[in-house]
């Protein structure tokens, strides 16, 4: 009845967006034309109305206690129906036990699957044309790389690897201790902020063909090291 938005969030996060009984996700993925569809329901263990299943448990409970997250369990629609149709099997104690077991299962998943790579996803590098001498805006263009740190925090121990397309050339890795947020250009072993104005872009008429692809390795602010391969695919480095 009066389950607050905050309480609903707690329920959804605690249960990992999955039904506590059948464990399936209660959100179907979006398609190109439709938003994701939600069939999860925050079910009351002790019912909100006196005529509901397991109503005997209402005795001595306030409405606030009944709408508290501790009395709610996230279920898919079919499981919610079962739970309300079979109150002798799905007793108050049984539902609390199911909820607890589900929460433990979700927590154990969290240990294996680390949280999403929020910062790492915002750190990229790609081959680009740079100044051969960053100190001289009129110097000739050269091949180098752009590093983009679109996160709000620096990344550390950044290795930009110039991997030769043709095998006989040597691999060059430029190591940068700290890369603050922003766009940075790598020229040889020098790193400099990307100029704001495109006008500073050197004349690239007579550039030779690019002979390398870039790969990136860096450590995020949580101390986790990441590798982004030449196709841009991000992976944790153990
Ligand atoms: Zn279910
Ligand atoms: Zn119900």
């Amino acid at each position: 009845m009066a389950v607050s938005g905050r309480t609903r969030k707690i329920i959804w996060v605690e249960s990992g967006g999955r039904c506590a009984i059948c464990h399936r996700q209660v959100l179907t993925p979006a398609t190109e034309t439709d938003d994701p569809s939600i069939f999860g329901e925050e079910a009351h263990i002790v019912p909100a109305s006196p005529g509901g299943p397991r109503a005997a448990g209402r005795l001595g409970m306030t409405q606030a206690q009944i709408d508290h997250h501790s009395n709610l369990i996230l279920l898919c629609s079919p499981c919610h129906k079962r739970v309300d149709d079979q109150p002798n099997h799905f007793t108050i104690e049984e539902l609390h036990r199911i909820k607890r077991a589900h929460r433990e299962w979700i927590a154990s998943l969290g240990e294996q699957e680390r949280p999403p790579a929020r910062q790492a996803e915002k750190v990229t590098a790609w081959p680009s044309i740079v100044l051969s001498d960053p100190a001289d805006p009129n110097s000739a263009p050269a091949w180098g790389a752009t590093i983009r740190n679109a996160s709000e925090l620096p990344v550390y121990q950044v290795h930009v690897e110039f991997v030769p397309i043709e095998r006989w050339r040597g691999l060059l890795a430029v190591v940068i201790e700290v890369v603050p947020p922003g766009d940075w250009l790598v020229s040889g072993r020098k790193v400099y902020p990307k100029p704001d104005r495109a006008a500073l872009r050197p004349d690239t008429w007579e550039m030779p063909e690019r002979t390398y692809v870039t790969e990136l390795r860096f450590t995020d602010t949580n101390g986790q090291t990441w590798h982004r391969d030449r196709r841009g695919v991000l992976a944790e480095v153990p």
Side-chain angles (χ1 to χ4, degrees):
M1 195 176 85
V3 176
S4 72
R6 181 168 176 277
T7 296
R8 300 187 61 209
K9 273 187 205 162
I10 293 172
I11 302 298
W12 278 76
V13 170
E14 266 185 353
S15 54
R18 290 175 183 270
C19 171
I21 291 178
C22 67
H23 300 321
R24 69 174 163 150
Q25 274 201 312
V26 292
L27 190 71
T28 55
T31 64
E32 265 176 45
T33 48
D34 290 302
D35 284 340
S37 111
I38 297 169
F39 52 95
E41 297 169 10
E42 303 97 6
H44 283 90
I45 296 174
V46 170
S49 78
R54 297 170 293 277
R58 289 172 50 86
L59 195 69
M61 279 179 87
T62 63
Q63 194 60 47
Q65 286 169 331
I66 285 171
D67 289 331
H68 190 258
H69 66 80
S70 58
N71 186 46
L72 293 160
I73 182 169
L74 186 71
L75 299 175
C76 69
S77 317
C79 287
H80 187 174
K81 185 167 187 316
R82 263 180 72 205
V83 157
D84 286 355
D85 287 350
Q86 305 174 338
N88 294 328
H89 176 71
F90 294 104
T91 60
I92 294 168
E93 294 70 34
E94 177 63 2
L95 288 177
H96 279 296
R97 189 198 63 74
I98 288 169
K99 183 179 171 179
R100 198 163 47 239
H102 180 70
R103 205 165 49 198
E104 280 164 16
W105 176 66
I106 292 294
S108 76
L109 283 186
E111 282 157 23
Q112 295 151 24
E113 301 165 19
R114 287 172 152 258
R118 292 184 153 270
Q119 186 187 23
E121 276 164 5
K122 295 179 178 169
V123 181
T124 47
W126 61 90
S128 57
I129 293 166
V130 299
L131 291 170
S132 54
D133 178 4
D136 175 9
N138 297 315
S139 64
W143 279 108
T146 300
I147 306 173
R148 171 167 294 166
N149 177 1
S151 79
E152 256 102 72
L153 294 165
V155 287
Y156 303 90
Q157 286 293 315
V158 178
H159 298 235
V160 184
E161 295 169 357
F162 295 88
V163 184
I165 295 167
E166 291 170 27
R167 213 162 290 164
W168 61 84
R169 296 171 192 270
L171 176 131
L172 170 73
V174 178
V175 183
I176 307 141
E177 283 304 313
V178 182
V179 173
D183 282 358
W184 304 85
L185 300 179
V186 182
S187 170
R189 295 194 170 276
K190 291 186 182 136
V191 181
Y192 63 104
K194 187 178 180 175
D196 303 333
R197 286 177 301 141
L200 285 180
R201 160 146 295 206
D203 183 1
T204 53
W205 264 103
E206 299 196 349
M207 287 291 291
E209 256 185 87
R210 178 163 57 87
T211 58
Y212 62 90
V213 292
T214 54
E215 302 212 345
L216 189 65
R217 175 190 286 262
F218 58 94
T219 301
D220 69 17
T221 47
N222 293 322
Q224 174 63 50
T225 301
W226 299 89
H227 182 258
R228 194 184 280 285
D229 74 11
R230 64 199 66 185
R231 293 162 302 148
V233 177
L234 188 65
E236 243 182 78
V237 179

